[in-house]
Amino acid sequence: MTKNLILKNVAKHISLDENETSYFLSILKEKKYPKKSIILKEGETCSAINFVQSGTLRAFYRSAEGKESTIMFAIADWWITDIACFINQQPAILNIETIEESVIFHLRKEDLDDLYLKIPKFERFFRIIMQNAYIREQLRVIQNLSLSAEHRYYIFLEKYPQVAKQVTQKQIASYLGITPEFLSMIRAIKK
């Protein structure tokens, strides 16, 4: 499998020379997963941050009653993990599953820490990734507090058209914090 996509992703924020590129690629662990594979299960130690080479994933929280709430999606060229548990090396509170067959590059926590020491510019790269994620999630919380479900759905479609094509309506409803039935009503109005 080619690693050009992850190198393009890194190149958005930092430049690597040949040795740095070689080292970075050497610490990635590539794995192909079938559809509906759990790559992180709540309670397990979250030991990797994951780059989606191909496919679609979702991170979700399962309540004590068994209700699933989708926290985030990830498509090709995106990173995904249970960040709080990854950084603190604690048991995961999220589950991450593949929505379709996917190829993932895993970067283990200890390898990331070594990467920061050997190639310090990766601290800049991941700082930018984390800042962007924090901004995205802060805006999402504000939208959830201030906008109607209908408005949030239209923003989702506008902001993430590729994701909307690859996930189910039930998963979108879970992400928006509404029932699938209510989402069906919103979609019927739009038509």
Side-chain angles (χ1 to χ4, degrees):
M1 178 67 60
T2 178
K3 295 181 179 174
N4 288 341
L5 187 59
I6 195 166
L7 292 176
K8 286 179 184 176
N9 184 274
V10 169
K12 291 175 188 175
H13 304 295
I14 60 173
S15 297
L16 300 177
D17 65 28
E18 192 174 313
N19 289 336
E20 292 167 337
T21 299
S22 180
Y23 177 72
F24 174 61
L25 294 178
S26 76
I27 61 174
L28 297 174
K29 308 297 181 226
E30 179 182 347
K31 189 162 181 191
K32 185 176 185 178
Y33 292 92
K35 179 180 182 175
K36 292 284 206 181
S37 296
I38 299 291
I39 67 166
L40 178 65
K41 184 176 178 160
E42 61 189 280
E44 295 176 349
T45 299
C46 182
S47 60
I49 188 167
N50 311 290
F51 179 80
V52 183
Q53 172 69 25
S54 64
T56 306
L57 287 78
R58 78 176 181 121
F60 64 94
Y61 172 77
R62 185 178 290 125
S63 71
E65 297 78 31
K67 180 185 176 205
E68 293 181 4
S69 296
T70 300
I71 304 304
M72 69 183 320
F73 297 106
I75 59 174
D77 197 32
W78 290 15
W79 294 86
I80 188 169
T81 194
D82 182 337
I83 194 64
C85 298
F86 173 71
I87 296 297
N88 297 313
Q89 289 295 273
Q90 295 176 336
I93 55 176
L94 299 179
N95 299 280
I96 300 177
E97 75 170 346
T98 59
I99 293 174
E100 60 187 1
E101 184 177 280
S102 302
V103 176
I104 310 300
F105 291 122
H106 302 285
L107 180 56
R108 297 179 316 149
K109 175 74 164 83
E110 55 269 21
D111 291 330
L112 179 61
D113 291 339
D114 286 343
L115 185 63
Y116 289 156
L117 294 173
K118 292 179 179 168
I119 310 173
K121 60 181 119 178
F122 268 101
E123 285 191 321
R124 178 180 193 278
F125 174 77
F126 281 103
R127 176 182 51 81
I128 293 168
I129 296 292
M130 299 304 168
Q131 285 173 335
N132 290 341
Y134 185 83
I135 290 165
R136 182 183 62 244
E137 290 310 308
Q138 180 178 320
L139 292 174
R140 182 174 172 215
V141 168
I142 291 168
Q143 289 172 354
N144 285 347
L145 294 171
S146 63
L147 300 177
S148 69
E150 182 178 6
H151 195 172
R152 293 192 324 265
Y153 174 62
Y154 296 136
I155 289 171
F156 176 83
L157 292 178
E158 184 179 307
K159 193 169 185 178
Y160 305 114
Q162 193 61 33
V163 174
K165 292 177 189 172
Q166 294 176 259
V167 302
T168 67
Q169 293 302 306
K170 181 178 178 183
Q171 291 164 341
I172 293 172
S174 170
Y175 179 81
L176 296 172
I178 60 177
T179 65
E181 295 78 17
F182 190 66
L183 181 57
S184 290
M185 289 173 28
I186 291 170
R187 292 181 72 226
I189 293 169
K190 185 179 181 196
K191 291 179 182 179

